[in-house]
Amino acid sequence: MAQKILVISGDGIGPEIMAEAMKVLDVLQRDGLTLERGEALLGGCAVDATGEPYPEATKKKALAADAVLLGAVGGPKWDVLPREQRPEKGLLGIRKSLGLFANLRPAVVYPQLAEASTLKPEIVAGLDILIVRELTGDIYFGEPRGIETRDIDGTTQRVGVNTMIYSESEIRRIAKVAFEAAQRRSQRVCSVDKMNVLETTQLWRDVFTEEAQHYPNVQLSHMLVDNAAMQLVRNPKQFDVLATGNIFGDILSDEASMLTGSIGMLPSASLDENGKGLYEPCHGSAPDIAGQNIANPLAMILSTAMLLRYSLKNEAAARRVETAVMEVLDRGLRTPDIWKEGMQKVSTKEMGDAVVQALARQA
Ligand code: NAD
């Protein structure tokens, strides 16, 4: 039976970059990939059409699909709406309804783009790490929470309260995702915690250590989060898979993405317990350049490669797409965001066409 994907272009540059990802899927389908593609609205365009950022029809299709490919949502036009109708609400809604708990963000520095990083090229050239972040637990969601009034040393004061909490099962399921991802890569997981101070993360470390028994070919190491933040800028190439909880992952994944220096190159995946996922570029809808045919479509195309790898379990097709992207970079083609002197400046469409040609040459 053909696998079903739901395509959501969204707002701003979303439709432009998605059109290029669709050309890539066209080639793969011509070469034998069987796939059913549906379409749906999310974000600002959904508000315009239906009054809702995450319409019921989109939810139905998303739940029925094997994977969802998303461009980007949002823009100034909708920022004035009540919070419930904002495009971002649609994004949170779809993530929640699909039960996505694992966020995978690769930070890859293509040797051709090493100079775009703010770090020295020799520190980042060839970098290829994967941050696996837990998305649904931790201090972001723990109860009790809030700002309350307490009597402290005889004075009444406001007190801010948040609760860091992880259950064993929540840790175990994210550990599995990290170990399985490492099996497809260099077989190394570094689990990041703060076990010297926080009991929650002592449990995190214990459960990762237990779960590692089931993956004898994967080497597990542990690192405290403050050291991990430092090591990411000192010697990032020491890492393969870096696994961590929600709050530490929030910070470390942004730090890691900046090592690459080019937001238009960064894909991401968010997965549920069964490998179903939502795949999207790390960047937003870039309203400042929308409609100009200058957005970089490579993060979108690389998100499509992640969809092929993690939800459709088609490693060969994923590699084909990634190799084609490498080839166009080798040829010196650059959209304006990654362009430098001596390179050939191309539009969104020309970049997509070049990836398609590179794919066709592989067949
Ligand atoms: P942004 O990522 O859209 O843009 C930041 C900067 O990077 C801009 O200068 C933009 O032109 C540039 N940029 C982003 N993607 C690019 C690409 N593919 N090629 C070339 N340049 C690119 O972030 P922002 O400006 O803070 O947000 C704009 C809108 O996107 C907001 O409405 C925000 O809420 C929304 N947003 C959506 C998502 C999402 O859909 N997942 C994520 C972040 C922001």
mmCIF file of all heavy atoms in Angstrom, residues 13 17 70-76 78-79 87-88 91 95 263-265 280-290 294-300 335-338, ligand 1:
data_model
loop_
_atom_site.group_PDB
_atom_site.id
_atom_site.type_symbol
_atom_site.label_atom_id
_atom_site.label_comp_id
_atom_site.label_asym_id
_atom_site.label_seq_id
_atom_site.Cartn_x
_atom_site.Cartn_y
_atom_site.Cartn_z
ATOM 1 N N ILE A 13 7.274 32.316 2.612
ATOM 2 C CA ILE A 13 8.049 31.567 1.618
ATOM 3 C C ILE A 13 7.643 30.093 1.568
ATOM 4 O O ILE A 13 8.139 29.353 0.711
ATOM 5 C CB ILE A 13 9.581 31.652 1.883
ATOM 6 C CG1 ILE A 13 9.929 31.087 3.274
ATOM 7 C CG2 ILE A 13 10.085 33.079 1.725
ATOM 8 C CD1 ILE A 13 11.435 30.899 3.505
ATOM 9 N N ILE A 17 9.162 27.340 -1.283
ATOM 10 C CA ILE A 17 10.152 26.292 -1.008
ATOM 11 C C ILE A 17 9.518 24.908 -1.117
ATOM 12 O O ILE A 17 10.162 23.958 -1.542
ATOM 13 C CB ILE A 17 10.853 26.502 0.362
ATOM 14 C CG1 ILE A 17 9.837 26.598 1.502
ATOM 15 C CG2 ILE A 17 11.738 27.752 0.331
ATOM 16 C CD1 ILE A 17 10.468 26.691 2.900
ATOM 17 N N LEU A 70 5.868 20.159 6.260
ATOM 18 C CA LEU A 70 5.357 21.515 6.506
ATOM 19 C C LEU A 70 6.374 22.558 6.055
ATOM 20 O O LEU A 70 7.561 22.430 6.349
ATOM 21 C CB LEU A 70 5.079 21.657 8.009
ATOM 22 C CG LEU A 70 4.735 23.043 8.545
ATOM 23 C CD1 LEU A 70 3.406 23.539 7.978
ATOM 24 C CD2 LEU A 70 4.656 23.024 10.059
ATOM 25 N N GLY A 71 5.872 23.592 5.348
ATOM 26 C CA GLY A 71 6.752 24.693 4.931
ATOM 27 C C GLY A 71 7.026 25.597 6.118
ATOM 28 O O GLY A 71 7.961 25.365 6.887
ATOM 29 N N ALA A 72 6.215 26.610 6.304
ATOM 30 C CA ALA A 72 6.338 27.493 7.469
ATOM 31 C C ALA A 72 5.032 28.247 7.592
ATOM 32 O O ALA A 72 4.293 28.398 6.613
ATOM 33 C CB ALA A 72 7.482 28.474 7.279
ATOM 34 N N VAL A 73 4.736 28.722 8.795
ATOM 35 C CA VAL A 73 3.513 29.504 8.982
ATOM 36 C C VAL A 73 3.806 30.827 9.674
ATOM 37 O O VAL A 73 4.810 30.984 10.347
ATOM 38 C CB VAL A 73 2.443 28.729 9.790
ATOM 39 C CG1 VAL A 73 2.057 27.428 9.115
ATOM 40 C CG2 VAL A 73 2.901 28.478 11.216
ATOM 41 N N GLY A 74 2.898 31.763 9.484
ATOM 42 C CA GLY A 74 2.992 33.041 10.199
ATOM 43 C C GLY A 74 3.315 34.212 9.299
ATOM 44 O O GLY A 74 3.683 34.044 8.134
ATOM 45 N N GLY A 75 3.144 35.399 9.867
ATOM 46 C CA GLY A 75 3.458 36.623 9.139
ATOM 47 C C GLY A 75 2.781 37.801 9.803
ATOM 48 O O GLY A 75 1.818 37.616 10.564
ATOM 49 N N PRO A 76 3.259 39.009 9.521
ATOM 50 C CA PRO A 76 2.748 40.204 10.209
ATOM 51 C C PRO A 76 1.245 40.411 10.030
ATOM 52 O O PRO A 76 0.565 40.929 10.918
ATOM 53 C CB PRO A 76 3.543 41.352 9.578
ATOM 54 C CG PRO A 76 4.301 40.792 8.433
ATOM 55 C CD PRO A 76 4.341 39.304 8.580
ATOM 56 N N TRP A 78 -1.104 38.454 10.329
ATOM 57 C CA TRP A 78 -1.950 37.765 11.317
ATOM 58 C C TRP A 78 -1.545 38.061 12.758
ATOM 59 O O TRP A 78 -2.162 37.557 13.686
ATOM 60 C CB TRP A 78 -1.911 36.249 11.050
ATOM 61 C CG TRP A 78 -2.392 35.912 9.675
ATOM 62 C CD1 TRP A 78 -3.688 35.880 9.250
ATOM 63 C CD2 TRP A 78 -1.590 35.599 8.543
ATOM 64 N NE1 TRP A 78 -3.731 35.561 7.917
ATOM 65 C CE2 TRP A 78 -2.459 35.369 7.451
ATOM 66 C CE3 TRP A 78 -0.217 35.464 8.320
ATOM 67 C CZ2 TRP A 78 -2.013 35.037 6.177
ATOM 68 C CZ3 TRP A 78 0.247 35.134 7.061
ATOM 69 C CH2 TRP A 78 -0.646 34.927 6.001
ATOM 70 N N ASP A 79 -0.497 38.879 12.938
ATOM 71 C CA ASP A 79 -0.001 39.150 14.303
ATOM 72 C C ASP A 79 -0.980 39.963 15.140
ATOM 73 O O ASP A 79 -0.865 40.006 16.362
ATOM 74 C CB ASP A 79 1.352 39.891 14.261
ATOM 75 C CG ASP A 79 2.483 38.943 13.895
ATOM 76 O OD1 ASP A 79 2.249 37.720 13.927
ATOM 77 O OD2 ASP A 79 3.574 39.419 13.538
ATOM 78 N N PRO A 87 -1.401 32.124 13.637
ATOM 79 C CA PRO A 87 -0.828 30.963 12.949
ATOM 80 C C PRO A 87 -0.038 30.033 13.868
ATOM 81 O O PRO A 87 -0.110 28.807 13.745
ATOM 82 C CB PRO A 87 0.102 31.600 11.914
ATOM 83 C CG PRO A 87 -0.481 32.945 11.662
ATOM 84 C CD PRO A 87 -1.120 33.384 12.938
ATOM 85 N N GLU A 88 0.692 30.617 14.844
ATOM 86 C CA GLU A 88 1.529 29.815 15.752
ATOM 87 C C GLU A 88 0.677 28.827 16.547
ATOM 88 O O GLU A 88 1.126 27.753 16.925
ATOM 89 C CB GLU A 88 2.305 30.724 16.716
ATOM 90 C CG GLU A 88 3.372 31.610 16.061
ATOM 91 C CD GLU A 88 2.820 32.754 15.209
ATOM 92 O OE1 GLU A 88 1.633 33.109 15.368
ATOM 93 O OE2 GLU A 88 3.580 33.276 14.360
ATOM 94 N N LEU A 91 0.395 25.747 14.640
ATOM 95 C CA LEU A 91 1.608 24.943 14.726
ATOM 96 C C LEU A 91 1.623 24.114 16.013
ATOM 97 O O LEU A 91 1.871 22.907 15.995
ATOM 98 C CB LEU A 91 2.798 25.913 14.717
ATOM 99 C CG LEU A 91 4.135 25.407 14.246
ATOM 100 C CD1 LEU A 91 4.030 24.768 12.878
ATOM 101 C CD2 LEU A 91 5.124 26.571 14.193
ATOM 102 N N ARG A 95 1.227 19.896 16.335
ATOM 103 C CA ARG A 95 2.257 19.126 17.050
ATOM 104 C C ARG A 95 1.618 18.335 18.186
ATOM 105 O O ARG A 95 1.932 17.178 18.407
ATOM 106 C CB ARG A 95 3.321 20.069 17.612
ATOM 107 C CG ARG A 95 4.234 20.620 16.530
ATOM 108 C CD ARG A 95 5.276 21.549 17.125
ATOM 109 N NE ARG A 95 6.152 22.100 16.110
ATOM 110 C CZ ARG A 95 6.754 23.283 16.203
ATOM 111 N NH1 ARG A 95 6.570 24.030 17.267
ATOM 112 N NH2 ARG A 95 7.550 23.710 15.258
ATOM 113 N N ILE A 263 20.633 29.591 8.232
ATOM 114 C CA ILE A 263 19.327 29.076 8.663
ATOM 115 C C ILE A 263 18.561 28.416 7.506
ATOM 116 O O ILE A 263 17.766 27.511 7.723
ATOM 117 C CB ILE A 263 18.506 30.195 9.347
ATOM 118 C CG1 ILE A 263 17.337 29.609 10.126
ATOM 119 C CG2 ILE A 263 18.043 31.256 8.368
ATOM 120 C CD1 ILE A 263 16.679 30.546 11.075
ATOM 121 N N GLY A 264 18.836 28.831 6.299
ATOM 122 C CA GLY A 264 18.143 28.258 5.135
ATOM 123 C C GLY A 264 18.568 26.848 4.791
ATOM 124 O O GLY A 264 18.082 26.252 3.829
ATOM 125 N N MET A 265 19.499 26.277 5.581
ATOM 126 C CA MET A 265 20.014 24.934 5.292
ATOM 127 C C MET A 265 19.572 23.900 6.321
ATOM 128 O O MET A 265 19.962 22.743 6.230
ATOM 129 C CB MET A 265 21.557 24.952 5.325
ATOM 130 C CG MET A 265 22.236 25.830 4.322
ATOM 131 S SD MET A 265 22.033 25.229 2.644
ATOM 132 C CE MET A 265 22.671 23.569 2.783
ATOM 133 N N GLU A 280 9.922 19.797 8.941
ATOM 134 C CA GLU A 280 9.848 21.204 8.555
ATOM 135 C C GLU A 280 11.230 21.841 8.665
ATOM 136 O O GLU A 280 12.061 21.400 9.462
ATOM 137 C CB GLU A 280 8.860 21.950 9.462
ATOM 138 C CG GLU A 280 9.226 21.838 10.917
ATOM 139 C CD GLU A 280 8.249 22.515 11.869
ATOM 140 O OE1 GLU A 280 7.685 23.555 11.515
ATOM 141 O OE2 GLU A 280 8.098 21.998 12.992
ATOM 142 N N PRO A 281 11.470 22.892 7.891
ATOM 143 C CA PRO A 281 12.724 23.617 8.066
ATOM 144 C C PRO A 281 12.741 24.275 9.445
ATOM 145 O O PRO A 281 11.675 24.540 10.010
ATOM 146 C CB PRO A 281 12.679 24.696 6.984
ATOM 147 C CG PRO A 281 11.502 24.413 6.133
ATOM 148 C CD PRO A 281 10.595 23.497 6.873
ATOM 149 N N CYS A 282 13.946 24.565 9.967
ATOM 150 C CA CYS A 282 14.027 25.240 11.279
ATOM 151 C C CYS A 282 13.611 26.705 11.180
ATOM 152 O O CYS A 282 13.232 27.316 12.168
ATOM 153 C CB CYS A 282 15.453 25.181 11.820
ATOM 154 S SG CYS A 282 15.898 23.542 12.360
ATOM 155 N N HIS A 283 13.686 27.268 9.968
ATOM 156 C CA HIS A 283 13.372 28.695 9.842
ATOM 157 C C HIS A 283 11.869 28.937 9.777
ATOM 158 O O HIS A 283 11.077 27.993 9.675
ATOM 159 C CB HIS A 283 14.065 29.287 8.609
ATOM 160 C CG HIS A 283 13.661 28.644 7.313
ATOM 161 N ND1 HIS A 283 12.428 28.815 6.747
ATOM 162 C CD2 HIS A 283 14.338 27.825 6.463
ATOM 163 C CE1 HIS A 283 12.363 28.154 5.607
ATOM 164 N NE2 HIS A 283 13.510 27.535 5.413
ATOM 165 N N GLY A 284 11.495 30.223 9.836
ATOM 166 C CA GLY A 284 10.085 30.596 9.761
ATOM 167 C C GLY A 284 9.667 30.944 8.340
ATOM 168 O O GLY A 284 10.297 30.499 7.372
ATOM 169 N N SER A 285 8.621 31.753 8.235
ATOM 170 C CA SER A 285 8.014 32.012 6.925
ATOM 171 C C SER A 285 8.687 33.172 6.189
ATOM 172 O O SER A 285 8.271 33.518 5.080
ATOM 173 C CB SER A 285 6.527 32.318 7.115
ATOM 174 O OG SER A 285 6.397 33.460 7.945
ATOM 175 N N ALA A 286 9.704 33.783 6.790
ATOM 176 C CA ALA A 286 10.531 34.825 6.154
ATOM 177 C C ALA A 286 9.704 35.820 5.326
ATOM 178 O O ALA A 286 9.932 35.957 4.120
ATOM 179 C CB ALA A 286 11.622 34.183 5.298
ATOM 180 N N PRO A 287 8.751 36.517 5.961
ATOM 181 C CA PRO A 287 7.892 37.429 5.186
ATOM 182 C C PRO A 287 8.678 38.513 4.459
ATOM 183 O O PRO A 287 8.235 39.002 3.414
ATOM 184 C CB PRO A 287 6.979 38.058 6.244
ATOM 185 C CG PRO A 287 7.366 37.519 7.560
ATOM 186 C CD PRO A 287 8.416 36.491 7.394
ATOM 187 N N ASP A 288 9.880 38.828 4.984
ATOM 188 C CA ASP A 288 10.683 39.889 4.342
ATOM 189 C C ASP A 288 11.145 39.533 2.938
ATOM 190 O O ASP A 288 11.447 40.414 2.143
ATOM 191 C CB ASP A 288 11.893 40.260 5.231
ATOM 192 C CG ASP A 288 12.750 39.058 5.636
ATOM 193 O OD1 ASP A 288 12.202 37.938 5.723
ATOM 194 O OD2 ASP A 288 13.957 39.241 5.868
ATOM 195 N N ILE A 289 11.202 38.235 2.609
ATOM 196 C CA ILE A 289 11.666 37.863 1.258
ATOM 197 C C ILE A 289 10.617 37.042 0.490
ATOM 198 O O ILE A 289 10.891 36.548 -0.601
ATOM 199 C CB ILE A 289 13.005 37.083 1.312
ATOM 200 C CG1 ILE A 289 12.866 35.820 2.188
ATOM 201 C CG2 ILE A 289 14.139 37.967 1.831
ATOM 202 C CD1 ILE A 289 14.037 34.843 2.010
ATOM 203 N N ALA A 290 9.419 36.918 1.069
ATOM 204 C CA ALA A 290 8.385 36.080 0.429
ATOM 205 C C ALA A 290 7.995 36.636 -0.930
ATOM 206 O O ALA A 290 7.942 37.852 -1.123
ATOM 207 C CB ALA A 290 7.155 35.996 1.332
ATOM 208 N N ILE A 294 13.733 34.171 -3.982
ATOM 209 C CA ILE A 294 15.139 34.188 -3.536
ATOM 210 C C ILE A 294 15.372 33.336 -2.281
ATOM 211 O O ILE A 294 16.502 33.200 -1.820
ATOM 212 C CB ILE A 294 15.666 35.633 -3.269
ATOM 213 C CG1 ILE A 294 14.791 36.356 -2.218
ATOM 214 C CG2 ILE A 294 15.763 36.436 -4.542
ATOM 215 C CD1 ILE A 294 15.379 37.691 -1.751
ATOM 216 N N ALA A 295 14.298 32.768 -1.722
ATOM 217 C CA ALA A 295 14.463 31.954 -0.499
ATOM 218 C C ALA A 295 15.261 30.693 -0.822
ATOM 219 O O ALA A 295 15.175 30.151 -1.923
ATOM 220 C CB ALA A 295 13.089 31.567 0.044
ATOM 221 N N ASN A 296 16.004 30.245 0.169
ATOM 222 C CA ASN A 296 16.775 29.011 0.013
ATOM 223 C C ASN A 296 15.846 27.802 0.240
ATOM 224 O O ASN A 296 15.303 27.643 1.336
ATOM 225 C CB ASN A 296 17.900 29.010 1.065
ATOM 226 C CG ASN A 296 18.865 27.865 0.886
ATOM 227 O OD1 ASN A 296 18.569 26.899 0.200
ATOM 228 N ND2 ASN A 296 20.025 27.981 1.501
ATOM 229 N N PRO A 297 15.668 26.947 -0.760
ATOM 230 C CA PRO A 297 14.757 25.809 -0.580
ATOM 231 C C PRO A 297 15.438 24.571 0.010
ATOM 232 O O PRO A 297 14.803 23.535 0.191
ATOM 233 C CB PRO A 297 14.318 25.515 -2.024
ATOM 234 C CG PRO A 297 15.515 25.862 -2.851
ATOM 235 C CD PRO A 297 16.223 27.005 -2.140
ATOM 236 N N LEU A 298 16.744 24.676 0.352
ATOM 237 C CA LEU A 298 17.468 23.447 0.721
ATOM 238 C C LEU A 298 17.040 22.885 2.082
ATOM 239 O O LEU A 298 16.987 21.663 2.257
ATOM 240 C CB LEU A 298 18.986 23.675 0.669
ATOM 241 C CG LEU A 298 19.526 23.948 -0.751
ATOM 242 C CD1 LEU A 298 21.038 24.159 -0.711
ATOM 243 C CD2 LEU A 298 19.181 22.818 -1.718
ATOM 244 N N ALA A 299 16.694 23.754 3.064
ATOM 245 C CA ALA A 299 16.219 23.225 4.349
ATOM 246 C C ALA A 299 14.932 22.428 4.134
ATOM 247 O O ALA A 299 14.712 21.392 4.763
ATOM 248 C CB ALA A 299 15.971 24.360 5.339
ATOM 249 N N MET A 300 14.085 22.922 3.221
ATOM 250 C CA MET A 300 12.823 22.226 2.924
ATOM 251 C C MET A 300 13.114 20.886 2.241
ATOM 252 O O MET A 300 12.513 19.856 2.569
ATOM 253 C CB MET A 300 11.988 23.131 2.003
ATOM 254 C CG MET A 300 10.597 22.654 1.734
ATOM 255 S SD MET A 300 9.510 22.930 3.141
ATOM 256 C CE MET A 300 9.183 21.273 3.669
ATOM 257 N N THR A 335 21.890 30.321 -3.205
ATOM 258 C CA THR A 335 20.854 31.346 -3.082
ATOM 259 C C THR A 335 21.478 32.530 -2.324
ATOM 260 O O THR A 335 22.534 32.360 -1.686
ATOM 261 C CB THR A 335 19.631 30.783 -2.322
ATOM 262 O OG1 THR A 335 20.098 30.009 -1.225
ATOM 263 C CG2 THR A 335 18.737 29.953 -3.226
ATOM 264 N N PRO A 336 20.855 33.725 -2.374
ATOM 265 C CA PRO A 336 21.519 34.904 -1.810
ATOM 266 C C PRO A 336 21.942 34.765 -0.342
ATOM 267 O O PRO A 336 22.966 35.315 0.066
ATOM 268 C CB PRO A 336 20.456 35.997 -1.958
ATOM 269 C CG PRO A 336 19.627 35.555 -3.113
ATOM 270 C CD PRO A 336 19.606 34.061 -3.071
ATOM 271 N N ASP A 337 21.183 34.010 0.478
ATOM 272 C CA ASP A 337 21.518 33.897 1.905
ATOM 273 C C ASP A 337 22.852 33.208 2.159
ATOM 274 O O ASP A 337 23.460 33.393 3.215
ATOM 275 C CB ASP A 337 20.400 33.154 2.658
ATOM 276 C CG ASP A 337 20.122 31.778 2.076
ATOM 277 O OD1 ASP A 337 19.925 31.683 0.853
ATOM 278 O OD2 ASP A 337 20.120 30.796 2.831
ATOM 279 N N ILE A 338 23.319 32.368 1.208
ATOM 280 C CA ILE A 338 24.595 31.663 1.418
ATOM 281 C C ILE A 338 25.622 32.033 0.341
ATOM 282 O O ILE A 338 26.686 31.418 0.249
ATOM 283 C CB ILE A 338 24.396 30.111 1.457
ATOM 284 C CG1 ILE A 338 23.590 29.621 0.241
ATOM 285 C CG2 ILE A 338 23.715 29.688 2.749
ATOM 286 C CD1 ILE A 338 23.518 28.103 0.133
HETATM 287 P P1 NAD B 1 12.389 33.624 9.961
HETATM 288 O O1 NAD B 1 13.133 32.355 10.171
HETATM 289 O O2 NAD B 1 11.178 33.547 9.139
HETATM 290 O O3 NAD B 1 13.389 34.705 9.308
HETATM 291 C C1 NAD B 1 14.584 35.140 9.946
HETATM 292 C C2 NAD B 1 15.553 35.672 8.867
HETATM 293 O O4 NAD B 1 16.086 34.572 8.121
HETATM 294 C C3 NAD B 1 14.877 36.590 7.859
HETATM 295 O O5 NAD B 1 15.763 37.604 7.484
HETATM 296 C C4 NAD B 1 14.603 35.681 6.669
HETATM 297 O O6 NAD B 1 14.574 36.359 5.426
HETATM 298 C C5 NAD B 1 15.769 34.714 6.742
HETATM 299 N N1 NAD B 1 15.398 33.383 6.228
HETATM 300 C C6 NAD B 1 14.604 32.470 6.838
HETATM 301 N N2 NAD B 1 14.450 31.402 6.044
HETATM 302 C C7 NAD B 1 15.174 31.627 4.932
HETATM 303 C C8 NAD B 1 15.399 30.884 3.741
HETATM 304 N N3 NAD B 1 14.866 29.671 3.530
HETATM 305 N N4 NAD B 1 16.178 31.437 2.783
HETATM 306 C C9 NAD B 1 16.737 32.636 2.961
HETATM 307 N N5 NAD B 1 16.572 33.393 4.062
HETATM 308 C C10 NAD B 1 15.778 32.892 5.042
HETATM 309 O O7 NAD B 1 12.065 34.198 11.417
HETATM 310 P P2 NAD B 1 11.189 35.487 11.827
HETATM 311 O O8 NAD B 1 11.435 36.588 10.858
HETATM 312 O O9 NAD B 1 11.470 35.658 13.260
HETATM 313 O O10 NAD B 1 9.691 35.001 11.701
HETATM 314 C C11 NAD B 1 8.854 35.272 10.579
HETATM 315 C C12 NAD B 1 7.516 34.580 10.761
HETATM 316 O O11 NAD B 1 7.704 33.164 10.799
HETATM 317 C C13 NAD B 1 6.821 34.926 12.085
HETATM 318 O O12 NAD B 1 5.440 35.077 11.830
HETATM 319 C C14 NAD B 1 7.090 33.737 12.972
HETATM 320 O O13 NAD B 1 6.083 33.548 13.947
HETATM 321 C C15 NAD B 1 7.075 32.623 11.964
HETATM 322 N N6 NAD B 1 7.849 31.422 12.366
HETATM 323 C C16 NAD B 1 7.335 30.240 11.961
HETATM 324 C C17 NAD B 1 8.025 29.062 12.235
HETATM 325 C C18 NAD B 1 7.458 27.778 11.714
HETATM 326 O O14 NAD B 1 6.588 27.788 10.861
HETATM 327 N N7 NAD B 1 7.931 26.647 12.202
HETATM 328 C C19 NAD B 1 9.251 29.106 12.909
HETATM 329 C C20 NAD B 1 9.764 30.358 13.278
HETATM 330 C C21 NAD B 1 9.051 31.509 12.993
#
